[in-house]
Amino acid sequence: MSQLPVTKIHGSRNDILVIEGAPEDRFPGGRLTSAVERLCDRKLGLGSDGVYFVADDGDGTGRAWFFNPDGSAALLCGNGMRGAGRLLLDRYDAEQIVLHTGPYAFTVRDAGLTPHGVRQTAVELPPVDFSPADPIVAGVPSPVVEQALESYHASLPATAVAVPNSHLVSVIDAYDEGDLVKTGLRVADTPEVFPLGANVSFVLPLSADSSEVYAQTYERGAGLTQSCGSGVAASRAVLSRLGRVAPDVPVRVRNPGGVARSWLQERDGRWQPVLEGNATIVYRAEFDPDDLAGDGPLAFTREDDDAEIAAFDALYREHREVLAAAGVNPTI
């Protein structure tokens, strides 16, 4: 039986499976959704926060498609894009490559190593849109949005932004993970306000000038995850929208799973976010696609990248010590 190669990568412990080829070529005949669900299943599959399919065009460019763990499609996974891009950077020993998703082009650049030896990349995302016409409601803030996001304690002002994924971002004074979950569920349960859903992020400044923040996201189709790359970019853009930090200042954004940097470039009068952080290879594996239809655990072979895992673990331990000192103790 033919074995299908897959690489597990992670950005800030937001782990993504990368499969070469177009999704419909790999899983034709209506098998795609069930295949993604099974692959992402942490008990019966390989386990991940999503799947990137990447078709290499052979000239330093490629096409990419991302799917959430429930099989739904998304325009972008920022953390996954860093890792998927890194694989092509390595293949061509290049300084930058370009991945196309729908109408968008994402430039991924090599960003060197951290002092811990962690490989980093930086991805340029599409310009942010603070008045999206279709993914979520237009106008920021909106009484309807505030009503939909009402927590058990108070209404949370929220900024709507597309990057291009739909996001709602609230800058808070104290972090409560339970409130974030309740808010994310309220958004999911209000299709009349959010017809395509939205990711919800709470952002807690860790420094007086907001040059360092903690951000956690409840993702559409995935719930709480270790990190959300587009959530980092959305949170960074909202900080400048609210006048807390200048657009070109790199902000260190800490998630439960790691730390990234983000800043805004001005292009044609609009803000284009840059997301920089680790792009770590966890392992390379192979499995038989026909086995996805079975009931038991998926059989696969894997080869771990011990050096990359160890380097990130050192960075991660340091990161969690910083969060604990700030009184932030995520449950994931």
Side-chain angles (χ1 to χ4, degrees):
M1 295 183 181
S2 177
Q3 298 289 297
L4 180 62
V6 57
T7 302
K8 177 178 274 195
I9 57 91
H10 81 79
S12 296
R13 299 186 78 183
N14 183 194
D15 56 353
I16 306 297
L17 301 173
V18 182
I19 296 175
E20 188 163 348
E24 291 296 339
D25 291 340
R26 291 302 189 188
F27 299 105
R31 298 169 52 208
L32 178 59
T33 298
S34 61
V36 169
E37 290 178 326
R38 179 66 182 280
L39 286 169
C40 294
D41 190 311
R42 296 192 182 275
K43 293 182 178 179
L44 298 178
L46 298 179
S48 75
D49 292 322
V51 180
Y52 248 125
F53 293 87
V54 178
D56 183 0
D57 290 334
D59 59 356
T61 68
R63 289 157 290 138
W65 300 260
F66 182 73
F67 295 87
N68 294 312
D70 63 357
S72 62
L75 287 171
L76 170 70
C77 169
N79 293 325
M81 181 65 74
R82 294 202 313 259
R86 180 253 169 103
L87 297 180
L88 287 187
L89 288 171
D90 289 354
R91 176 176 295 177
Y92 293 104
D93 191 23
E95 291 296 318
Q96 71 175 49
I97 58 92
V98 177
L99 284 173
H100 298 273
T101 297
Y104 302 102
F106 300 91
T107 298
V108 185
R109 292 187 171 87
D110 183 10
L113 300 174
T114 72
H116 313 80
V118 175
R119 177 72 178 278
Q120 296 192 113
T121 60
V123 56
E124 294 181 356
L125 306 181
V128 298
D129 183 359
F130 286 106
S131 53
D134 53 291
I136 44 183
V137 295
V140 187
S142 160
V144 178
V145 173
E146 292 185 10
Q147 182 179 3
L149 294 181
E150 185 178 355
S151 72
Y152 285 95
H153 306 293
S155 180
L156 294 173
T159 299
V161 56
V163 285
N165 290 349
S166 308
H167 286 270
L168 291 161
V169 179
S170 293
V171 179
I172 57 177
D173 297 324
Y175 180 70
D176 186 317
E177 190 173 278
D179 277 351
L180 175 59
V181 172
K182 294 169 187 174
T183 303
L185 292 172
R186 285 173 182 266
V187 170
D189 292 339
T190 319
E192 65 274 16
V193 181
F194 311 101
L196 298 183
N199 302 311
V200 178
S201 293
F202 283 2
V203 181
L204 175 68
L206 299 178
S207 62
D209 61 358
S210 294
S211 62
E212 184 167 0
V213 301
Y214 175 72
Q216 190 164 358
T217 303
Y218 187 95
E219 294 190 55
R220 177 181 69 89
L224 290 178
T225 57
Q226 296 278 356
S227 176
C228 173
S230 62
V232 169
S235 298
R236 173 62 188 87
V238 167
L239 290 170
S240 287
R241 173 77 164 183
L242 299 178
R244 289 175 174 260
V245 61
D248 60 347
V249 173
V251 170
R252 182 177 288 108
V253 182
R254 297 187 180 275
N255 300 130
V259 58
R261 294 199 314 158
S262 186
W263 60 94
L264 304 170
Q265 303 175 148
E266 188 166 336
R267 296 282 174 86
D268 300 322
R270 302 177 68 189
W271 286 341
Q272 180 184 35
V274 178
L275 174 65
E276 179 187 273
N278 76 290
T280 300
I281 295 176
V282 181
Y283 62 70
R284 301 178 190 273
E286 291 187 341
F287 67 94
D288 184 345
D290 291 337
D291 289 347
L292 293 173
D295 296 329
L298 179 66
F300 61 94
T301 60
R302 58 183 272 184
E303 182 178 352
D304 292 2
D305 196 315
D306 295 332
E308 294 215 12
I309 293 170
F312 182 82
D313 283 349
L315 173 65
Y316 178 72
R317 287 193 297 270
E318 181 181 283
H319 160 68
R320 293 296 290 230
E321 289 171 0
V322 171
L323 290 185
V328 177
N329 296 287
T331 61
I332 61 173

